[in-house]
Amino acid sequence: MADTPLLTIIIPAYNISEYLPRCVHSVMAQTYRRLEIILVDDGSTDGTGELCDELAKEDDRIRVYHKENGGSSSARNLALRYAAGEYIGFVDSDDYVEPDMYEELLKAIQRFQVPAAQAGRDEVDEKGNPLPDICVPPDRPLVIESGEFLKELLLHRGDCSFCTKLIRRDMFPEEAFPEGKLNEDFHLLVRMLPGMGKVASLPCRAYHVFYRIGSNSRKADRENFSRVYADSVDNADMAAVIAKRDYPKLKDIAFRFGIFQRLEYLLHIPVSQMTQDNTTYRNIVIYMRKKWIKSMTNPVLTGKNKLYHTLFAIAPRGIRRLHAVLRHL
């Protein structure tokens, strides 16, 4: 059975009864048949939990776990604890995949002798309209060294999503996904990259991201958007530590990434939250002032980045107000 290892495909589900069947059926229809499909009902209140049980009756490869609501990371971690597969894949419950996605990913892993492979993806809205590419797949199969992969992530060109990937089970650490945090895929992937060594990347757009209004994983409401930017700053600092330790040639790019994420935070936080009792905001402003000279001499930051850095270091609240006004002109 060495050439036909068991694959575990994990699907967390929360209040997604309208779209879950399409997602699960797309996994059930895979041309690679030796799968186990783990559905995790994350405390749903709309009948999704019962729907998971009904879907399990359609295919004996499906296992269902029910838990209290704890978020996608919590659901994924639970599934990882029970996963029996040699390789792990994830699908978000409102998305769907091409029938040959996992067959092609496994072929790439075996062909290139790597622990992980990723497919391309596309994005559509609720009306079926295509959205601009977030990540552009290569025009031919590639094997990417982990340092180069990290570089692309730090330059906002790489794909950090676990949903487009198939990864050998032993690559995952215990309690893999950080619970209670956003931007969790980036966090875990950056931690895992040094151990992976190489990743295969395929040109096929086999994963379909469905952007729906109200999606818990994709909405950016006033309550959560500053949180995701704050978590992204923490992830940037973690990435800088890993780059310094394992990929020292990326130090300028890692520093640029940290500045960029802090600028994103300052450009999106509501002015009402820009107060001295907001520890995250205060620490970001202090950092921007301390690192101004280093930023001005960084060869990767653009002139626009440096200008924004200078302005926010001098008068963050005033610049934030001005930016908000200009954005609505």
Side-chain angles (χ1 to χ4, degrees):
M1 302 293 286
D3 292 333
T4 57
L6 179 66
L7 313 186
T8 297
I9 311 304
I10 295 169
I11 306 173
Y14 175 72
N15 288 355
I16 191 69
S17 57
E18 181 178 358
Y19 299 106
L20 184 62
R22 178 181 64 179
C23 173
V24 175
H25 288 149
S26 75
V27 178
M28 290 165 56
Q30 289 297 296
T31 54
Y32 188 86
R33 303 299 298 169
R34 193 159 185 260
L35 305 175
E36 69 166 0
I37 303 167
I38 298 182
L39 304 183
V40 182
D41 164 37
D42 189 34
S44 299
T45 58
D46 70 338
T48 291
E50 293 80 1
L51 179 57
C52 287
D53 293 331
E54 289 300 312
L55 288 166
K57 295 176 183 178
E58 299 180 20
D59 195 317
D60 60 10
R61 297 175 298 172
I62 297 177
R63 287 190 286 145
V64 178
Y65 295 93
H66 300 275
K67 62 183 288 295
E68 293 183 359
N69 181 249
S72 178
S73 289
S74 173
R76 285 172 162 186
N77 285 338
L78 182 146
L80 281 170
R81 289 196 290 271
Y82 292 104
E86 184 179 344
Y87 293 91
I88 307 292
F90 299 88
V91 183
D92 283 343
S93 51
D94 39 8
D95 300 336
Y96 58 101
V97 296
E98 287 296 308
D100 62 348
M101 174 170 159
Y102 290 109
E103 181 177 8
E104 292 303 314
L105 289 174
L106 182 60
K107 283 181 180 177
I109 286 172
Q110 294 174 334
R111 173 188 172 189
F112 296 113
Q113 294 294 293
V114 293
Q118 71 175 13
R121 70 187 191 189
D122 57 23
E123 292 86 17
V124 296
D125 64 18
E126 286 188 308
K127 297 180 180 179
N129 300 314
L131 298 172
D133 284 329
I134 294 176
C135 305
V136 179
D139 56 10
R140 58 185 176 82
L142 295 177
V143 175
I144 307 172
E145 298 282 348
S146 62
E148 185 64 22
F149 201 105
L150 178 59
K151 176 183 175 181
E152 291 300 297
L153 291 179
L154 297 179
L155 290 173
H156 298 92
R157 297 193 298 240
D159 182 4
C160 68
S161 173
F162 276 83
C163 291
T164 56
K165 296 172 178 61
L166 186 66
I167 302 175
R168 205 171 68 214
R169 176 67 179 87
D170 63 3
M171 291 287 101
F172 287 87
E174 292 292 327
E175 294 301 318
F177 291 95
E179 299 183 18
K181 296 284 188 179
L182 300 177
N183 199 220
E184 64 273 20
D185 280 21
F186 178 92
H187 176 99
L188 178 57
L189 185 60
V190 170
R191 285 168 53 205
M192 290 171 63
L193 276 174
M196 288 185 184
K198 297 178 181 179
V199 177
S201 183
L202 302 180
C204 56
R205 294 179 185 267
Y207 191 90
H208 304 296
V209 179
F210 180 64
Y211 283 89
R212 61 187 176 90
I213 297 173
S215 169
N216 283 333
S217 61
R218 295 173 183 130
K219 67 185 178 182
D221 57 32
R222 289 185 63 84
E223 178 183 352
N224 284 325
F225 77 93
S226 62
R227 178 180 151 213
V228 70
Y229 289 113
D231 288 344
S232 294
V233 169
D234 291 341
N235 285 341
D237 290 344
M238 177 199 67
V241 171
I242 291 173
K244 181 179 180 180
R245 182 191 70 201
D246 296 302
Y247 313 103
K249 291 182 180 179
L250 298 181
K251 64 177 183 178
D252 287 335
I253 291 174
F255 176 78
R256 173 261 180 203
F257 185 71
I259 294 297
F260 191 92
Q261 297 307 108
R262 285 172 170 84
L263 288 173
E264 285 288 287
Y265 177 94
L266 292 169
L267 284 166
H268 290 87
I269 183 175
V271 175
S272 61
Q273 295 183 25
M274 300 175 78
T275 59
Q276 286 302 306
D277 60 354
N278 182 335
T279 303
T280 300
Y281 164 74
R282 187 176 69 249
N283 288 341
I284 284 176
V285 172
I286 291 171
Y287 181 96
M288 296 295 276
R289 289 171 177 168
K290 286 184 175 179
K291 301 296 182 179
W292 181 81
I293 293 177
K294 186 174 181 179
S295 179
M296 295 305 106
T297 58
N298 183 276
V300 189
L301 282 164
T302 66
K304 183 178 180 181
N305 295 153
K306 294 176 181 179
L307 174 61
Y308 271 110
H309 187 164
T310 301
L311 294 173
F312 274 113
I314 295 171
R317 285 173 60 87
I319 296 303
R320 183 66 184 87
R321 287 196 189 96
L322 178 60
H323 182 266
V325 171
L326 293 176
R327 207 170 47 168
H328 289 91
L329 288 180

